[in-house]
Amino acid sequence: MEVRVLFFARSRELAGASEATLSLQPGSTTAALMPHLLEQFPQLSELGTSFVLSLNQEYLAPGEAQPLKAGDEVAVIPPISGG
Amino acid sequence: MSSPPGALEQELERLRAQNAQLQAELDAVRGVQAGAAPPVAAAAAAQEEPPAGAANGAACCRPVAAARDWDGLQHGLDKDQIARYSRQIILHSFGVQAQARLCRGSVLIVGAGGLGSPAALYLAAAGVGRVGIVDRDTVELSNIHRQVIHKEATVGMHKALSAAEACRALNSSIQVETHLEALTPANAVQLVRQYDVVVDASDNAPTRYLISDACCAAGRSLVSGAAIGTDGQLTVYCHGEDGPCYRCLFPEAPAAGNCARCVDAGVLGVVPGVIGTLQALEAVKLLSGVGDPLSRRLLVVDCAAGRFHSVKLRARSPNCVACGAAPSITTASLPSYDYAAFTGQAAANDAAPQPLQLIPREERITPAELQRRLASQPTAVLLDVRPAEQFNICHLPGAVHTPFKHFDRYVEAIQERLAAAAAGAAAAGQAAAPPAAEQQQQQDQQDQQNGSADGLQPQPPLYVVCRRGNDSQRAVARLRQLGISHAVDVVGGVEAWAREVDPSFPLY
Ligand SMILES: [Zn+2]
C-alpha cells in the first residue's frame, strides 16, 4: 500500500522533494514510517529527533504505532527558527 | 557603508544617536507609568465583560480622555476611537466590546524584524492599547526587503525605536514602549509579566525556548511565528488549561546545522510578512476574545508550493520540563538556565557567525596578500566555495566555483585544474624561461612551506575563498585530508576583500 509523505522546511531540502510516495506492507503501522523514510531518504537522518510527524493532519507522538491505510498523508515538520 | 562617512553623515549619525537617547529616556518614563498599573490577564480580558470604571484604565495612556458613558454602555471608547475603529466595531462578529478589550490590552512583540514588522503595525493599527517592542539590533539596508516597518531613513537606528516611530505614526492614540536590550533569562519573566499576550517574532532557537519558558512561568499566551526561505510556521503556545508549549512540541533542540538563519540561508521577504500578519491576527483574537485561537494547532506553510497545512496538536505534555505537572523550569530557576548550552548556539541575531580558527593564522593570508599573489602568480588557482546563489552575485576574476556543500565532488576537477596549470607553467618555462617565471617558481616554493610536494615538481599555488573565511578553512582542511596540502585560505573571505581591497565588490 502507498502513503503520501509531505516534506516541509529543512526536511524538504534534505529529501530534495516536497513530497514522495512511500510503499509499505499492508497492515503496517506508523512505527514503520521512519525506518522506511530513512531508507528512501538517508539524508533525513540529519534532522536527528527534532521534528514533528503528523498523520492525516494530526500530531503523531514519537514511537507511536497507529495503523496505516492506503492513501494516508504523513507530514515531516522540523521546527524553523528564523524571523 | 564602505566609503568614509562625510560630514553630513556624521552629523546625521550624531542626531540619530541623540534621538535614540531621548526616545529611550521618554520610554523609560512611560514604562514607569505603565508598570504602575497591573496588566490584565489575557484570558480574563477575553472572557469578562469590562467592569465598571475600566474605561478609565483603558484611557490611561491617552492624553485626551474624552470617553463618555454612552447611556450606560460602558465600553469606554471615545468619539475618536469609535471613528478610527468603526470598520471593525460594526463587524458583526467583533463589535464594540471586543474593540474595548483590544484598547485595554497589551502585547509584547519580541523582535522587530521580518515577523515583528507586520505584527507591530497591524496591532498598533488595530488599537491595542499598549504595544511593547523588544529588539537590541539596529536597522541595516539588507533588513528592509522584509522588515517593512523600517525605512531607508532609519538605517542605523535601533530597530525597537524605528519600529515604535512607525507605530506612533500609524496610531498616536496608543502607547508604544521600547526595550532596547535583548530578552535574556534574567529579564524575560519580569518583562513578559507586564503584558497580556506575547508575540514571538524572534529569529533564533535559544530565544524561542526562552520566550516559551517565560510565558509558561508567567502564565501568558504566546503567539509563535517563524519563517525562513519560503517556509513559515504559526501556532499559539501556553494558552488556556491544556495548550502545549514550544518544549512540548520540540523537547529537543534542533542541531545547529538545521537552524538556518536568514543571514545565511536567505528569506523571501513576503514570507515573514504572511506569518507576522497572521501573528497579529492571533494576538487580536486573544485580546478581543473573538474567534478560535490557533492553540493546539500548528499551521505549517510552504509558500513556494502555496500549501497551508494545519496539524492538530496534543494537549500539554505532563512530562514537559516547562509546563508539565512538575516543571523544572520555573520563575526561580529560569534566570540561571543556559539556553546557549541547551540549543548549542548563541542567541545571535541577524549577524555574522563567529570567526572560526581551524587553520593556524600564520598559514592563512589576508585579502591584500591574495591580491598581490594573484598579480604575480599567473598559474595560481583560486577556489570560491560559496553556494551558487552567492557566487552568481559576484566573484573574484578567474575564481573556480567549488561549493563547499558538495566539496568532495569537485576534488577531481581541482586536481585536473592544478595539473593543467602546472603543465602550462612548465610549457611556458621551456619555451622562454623568462626571469618572471623563475621568480614565479621561487614564489611557488615559498608557498609550499606546508606542502606535500616533498621535493617533487612544485604545484601551482592554490587559494580558497568563501564569504567570511570559515568555510574556506574547512575546505582547506578537507583538501589537506585528501593530500592537497598546499592550499591556503583567505582570512575574512570576500567580505574582507570588499573592505580591504575592492570597495566596489558588492556585499550582501
Ligand atoms: Zn510544555
Side-chain angles (χ1 to χ4, degrees):
Chain A
M1 72 178 173
E2 293 191 333
V3 299
R4 185 174 175 231
V5 184
L6 304 177
F7 297 112
F8 288 96
R10 180 78 176 135
S11 70
R12 188 183 59 241
E13 288 170 25
L14 290 170
S18 63
E19 57 178 286
T21 303
L22 212 57
S23 293
L24 299 167
Q25 292 292 328
S28 293
T29 71
T30 50
L33 279 175
M34 277 324 288
H36 274 83
L37 265 179
L38 287 169
E39 195 181 321
Q40 202 167 328
F41 301 97
Q43 322 86 287
L44 288 176
S45 63
E46 276 189 39
L47 291 176
T49 54
S50 186
F51 62 90
V52 159
L53 273 188
S54 71
L55 171 63
N56 300 325
Q57 312 210 336
E58 288 203 29
Y59 177 83
L60 203 55
E64 200 174 346
Q66 284 191 29
L68 284 168
K69 56 185 189 309
D72 275 350
E73 185 190 78
V74 172
V76 182
I77 308 167
I80 58 180
S81 53
Chain B
M1 299 301 276
S2 51
S3 60
L8 192 63
E9 278 89 341
Q10 281 179 350
E11 176 63 7
L12 203 59
E13 201 51 49
R14 194 185 62 76
L15 287 172
R16 273 190 191 134
Q18 202 175 23
N19 183 46
Q21 177 63 32
L22 288 170
Q23 195 65 62
E25 285 171 16
L26 191 63
D27 286 327
V29 174
R30 282 184 174 142
V32 169
Q33 286 170 349
V40 190
Q47 282 151 21
E48 291 166 15
E49 284 304 297
N56 299 330
C60 72
C61 53
R62 300 167 46 74
V64 186
R68 274 173 56 185
D69 179 9
W70 297 102
D71 197 24
L73 289 177
Q74 294 182 349
H75 53 65
L77 300 182
D78 63 33
K79 190 165 182 286
D80 287 347
Q81 286 176 308
I82 290 168
R84 178 186 283 267
Y85 308 120
S86 59
R87 294 304 182 273
Q88 59 196 34
I89 288 175
I90 61 170
L91 177 65
H92 174 68
S93 57
F94 202 76
V96 73
Q97 296 298 348
Q99 183 63 52
R101 288 191 285 268
L102 214 51
C103 288
R104 279 199 306 279
S106 58
V107 174
L108 181 69
I109 300 168
V110 185
L115 299 165
S117 287
L121 288 173
Y122 270 109
L123 291 171
V128 173
R130 195 161 54 88
V131 175
I133 302 170
V134 189
D135 207 310
R136 63 163 180 191
D137 287 346
T138 53
V139 180
E140 290 177 28
L141 188 61
S142 66
N143 299 146
I144 295 183
H145 83 111
R146 66 189 188 282
Q147 302 181 13
V148 296
I149 202 166
H150 309 301
K151 302 187 286 264
E152 288 180 9
T154 60
V155 167
M157 191 171 166
H158 256 290
K159 280 188 185 176
L161 297 174
S162 167
E165 193 178 280
C167 289
R168 291 187 186 114
L170 204 54
N171 191 346
S172 62
S173 74
I174 61 160
Q175 189 178 342
V176 185
E177 297 166 356
T178 54
H179 306 279
L180 308 185
E181 313 262 286
L183 196 76
T184 64
N187 67 19
V189 175
Q190 166 264 331
L191 198 55
V192 159
R193 276 215 178 105
Q194 295 173 32
Y195 296 87
D196 299 331
V197 168
V198 177
V199 170
D200 183 349
S202 70
D203 64 357
N204 61 82
T207 304
R208 289 184 178 278
Y209 281 100
L210 168 61
I211 296 172
S212 176
D213 291 350
C215 286
C216 288
R220 293 292 183 272
S221 299
L222 168 61
V223 183
S224 175
I228 190 84
T230 55
D231 286 286
Q233 291 175 0
L234 176 79
T235 188
V236 172
Y237 288 121
C238 310
H239 181 68
E241 282 303 302
D242 60 356
C245 79
Y246 193 52
R247 283 185 194 266
C248 290
L249 210 54
F250 302 108
E252 283 170 50
N258 289 330
C259 284
R261 303 169 323 141
C262 298
V263 65
D264 297 321
V267 57
L268 195 64
V270 160
V271 176
V274 168
I275 302 297
T277 305
L278 289 171
Q279 285 182 280
L281 178 64
E282 289 305 314
V284 164
K285 283 158 62 180
L286 289 170
L287 288 169
S288 66
V290 168
D292 296 320
L294 203 71
S295 176
R296 292 189 57 180
R297 280 180 293 161
L298 173 67
L299 183 68
V300 187
V301 187
D302 176 344
C303 291
R307 183 182 282 146
F308 281 65
H309 192 82
S310 174
V311 175
K312 221 186 201 180
L313 302 178
R314 303 275 165 89
R316 80 174 42 151
S317 159
N319 303 322
C320 179
V321 293
C323 74
S328 60
I329 301 172
T330 61
T331 305
S333 70
L334 191 151
S336 53
Y337 191 92
D338 190 340
Y339 288 89
F342 172 67
T343 58
Q345 43 186 311
N349 288 0
D350 203 359
Q354 287 298 307
L356 187 75
Q357 192 62 267
L358 194 63
I359 307 289
R361 180 63 185 81
E362 57 275 14
E363 295 174 25
R364 312 174 66 199
I365 60 169
T366 63
E369 176 64 13
L370 176 69
Q371 184 188 36
R372 195 186 67 70
R373 293 200 194 179
L374 289 179
S376 68
Q377 300 172 346
T379 62
V381 174
L382 173 64
L383 306 180
D384 187 326
V385 298
R386 293 176 297 157
E389 298 76 21
Q390 299 180 24
F391 183 80
N392 291 339
I393 297 172
C394 192
H395 51 258
L396 272 60
V400 182
H401 189 214
T402 56
F404 182 69
K405 194 175 175 192
H406 305 293
F407 194 64
D408 281 11
R409 292 183 197 167
Y410 294 91
V411 171
E412 211 171 306
I414 293 168
Q415 276 160 336
E416 282 168 15
R417 193 87 185 203
L418 288 170
Q430 278 172 358
E438 280 169 32
Q439 273 182 9
Q440 178 57 47
Q441 292 220 337
Q442 284 168 4
Q443 181 66 59
D444 287 351
Q445 273 154 358
Q446 270 176 27
D447 290 343
Q448 286 176 53
Q449 42 200 339
N450 314 301
S452 64
D454 291 334
L456 297 175
Q457 184 160 6
Q459 291 214 54
L462 180 61
Y463 303 107
V464 186
V465 72
C466 66
R467 185 177 182 184
R468 300 197 177 98
N470 284 358
D471 277 351
S472 61
Q473 291 184 72
R474 295 185 179 104
V476 164
R478 181 65 185 140
L479 285 170
R480 288 181 181 184
Q481 283 174 352
L482 297 168
I484 304 175
S485 51
H486 71 295
V488 172
D489 99 287
V490 180
V491 177
V494 295
E495 287 198 354
W497 175 272
R499 282 194 306 271
E500 296 162 22
V501 174
D502 180 7
S504 72
F505 193 95
L507 290 173
Y508 50 90

